[in-house]
Amino acid sequence: SQQGEEDPQALSIQEGENATMNCSYKTSINNLQWYRQNSGRGLVHLILIRSNEREKHSGRLRVTLDTSKKSSSLLITASRAADTASYFCANHYGNNRLAFGKGNQVVVIP
Amino acid sequence: EADIYQTPRYLVIGTGKKITLECSQTMGHDKMYWYQQDPGMELHLIHYSYGVNSTEKGDLSSESTVSRIRTEHFPLTLESARPSHTSQYLCASSDQKTSGSSDTQYFGPGTRLTVL
C-alpha cells in the first residue's frame, strides 16, 4: 500500500509544550512532505524533506527522516492554540503524485 | 493562501441528481488533482491531470468523471449522486516547472457533499 500511517493519531497538549508525531510507510520513502489541515478546510504545505536529508527545520517545525526505517517525525516546538489541526505526511510516488497518511489530530489547550 | 477555489463549499442533494463540483486555480499550474476524504481519514486520489486534455484515474476507484479543457479549470461531475458519494472532495494543483521534483500541492478549501 502507498498509504502511510501516522502514530499517534490524536494528541492533546498544553500551550507551550512540544508535539511530536510520526509517520511510517510500507513502501520506500522518496521526498516526503508534511501538511496541516484545519477543521473543514484544505491542506496547507508545511515542509518538504528530501530522501537524501535526515533533518530539516522551518521555524518551530523540525522534521526527521529515516529512510532505512521508512519513517519520519514532525516536531512542533512551543505549541500555540493556533497549531490545533490535523497533520498529514505525504510520500511522493509515480509522476508527481502524493500518498497521504491517515493524519494526526493535535489539540493545543490554551 | 493559495489561489485555488472550489464551489460550492457545501452541497446537500438528493439521490439520482447530477452534480458538478468546480475547481479553479489562477496560478497557471499544469497539474491538478481531486482527492476524496472522509472525516478524520486520509486523502485518496481519485483523478489527476497533467495539463489540458489530460485526465487520469487515481488510486481510489470513483464513479465521478473530470475534464480539463482549460488550464485553470478542473471540474468533477457525478452523473447520478448516491449516498455512498457523501464525502469531502478536495482539489489541488502543483507546478512542476517551478517545484521540480518537490511536488508541493496547493489545496482548495474543499466541497463537503451530502447525498440524501
Side-chain angles (χ1 to χ4, degrees):
Chain A
S1 167
Q2 289 285 354
Q3 297 299 324
E5 301 176 355
E6 276 96 347
D7 172 46
Q9 295 200 346
L11 183 64
S12 182
I13 57 174
Q14 294 289 330
E15 199 167 30
E17 293 181 338
N18 296 342
T20 300
M21 58 208 88
N22 301 304
C23 166
S24 62
Y25 278 83
K26 295 175 182 175
T27 59
S28 60
I29 289 184
N30 303 303
N31 295 335
L32 191 118
Q33 303 180 39
W34 283 89
Y35 287 80
R36 184 187 73 225
Q37 183 180 34
N38 290 91
S39 180
R41 305 285 298 181
L43 279 71
V44 175
H45 178 257
L46 293 176
I47 193 168
L48 160 75
I49 186 165
R50 300 190 184 280
S51 56
N52 61 353
E53 296 175 316
R54 291 297 168 259
E55 187 171 311
K56 198 161 185 180
H57 296 256
S58 176
R60 294 184 295 110
L61 304 179
R62 174 178 169 256
V63 172
T64 62
L65 181 64
D66 188 333
T67 52
S68 64
K69 294 181 180 178
K70 300 178 184 177
S71 66
S72 173
S73 68
L74 171 67
L75 167 68
I76 304 173
T77 61
S79 63
R80 304 167 183 170
D83 294 329
T84 294
S86 292
Y87 293 83
F88 293 85
C89 64
N91 189 22
H92 169 239
Y93 74 102
N95 187 355
N96 295 334
R97 284 180 280 174
L98 293 176
F100 285 86
K102 289 184 174 62
N104 280 271
Q105 186 176 3
V106 175
V107 175
V108 181
I109 302 167
Chain B
E1 291 287 329
D3 294 325
I4 181 164
Y5 309 98
Q6 291 186 243
T7 57
R9 290 293 315 280
Y10 303 93
L11 180 61
V12 180
I13 202 163
T15 297
K17 300 292 186 183
K18 177 180 178 179
I19 60 169
T20 296
L21 308 184
E22 303 288 350
C23 176
S24 296
Q25 49 95 6
T26 58
M27 298 173 283
H29 287 173
D30 290 327
K31 293 179 170 54
M32 296 189 74
Y33 312 83
W34 275 103
Y35 293 90
Q36 186 174 340
Q37 182 188 30
D38 292 324
M41 301 297 288
E42 67 265 50
L43 283 71
H44 293 282
L45 181 67
I46 53 175
H47 298 282
Y48 59 101
S49 167
Y50 291 147
V52 171
N53 294 326
S54 154
T55 60
E56 302 286 345
K57 293 279 189 183
D59 302 316
L60 181 67
S61 176
S62 174
E63 293 167 344
S64 58
T65 59
V66 292
S67 62
R68 189 87 184 275
I69 299 172
R70 302 198 315 265
T71 298
E72 63 271 21
H73 198 212
F74 191 40
L76 180 146
T77 298
L78 274 167
E79 291 291 334
S80 180
R82 294 206 301 270
S84 61
H85 296 138
T86 295
S87 189
Q88 172 153 281
Y89 293 84
L90 293 165
C91 181
S93 71
S94 69
D95 183 1
Q96 183 182 17
K97 290 190 289 293
T98 57
S99 64
S101 62
S102 66
D103 306 308
T104 298
Q105 294 187 10
Y106 299 87
F107 282 80
T111 294
R112 187 167 296 278
L113 172 66
T114 301
V115 184
L116 304 176

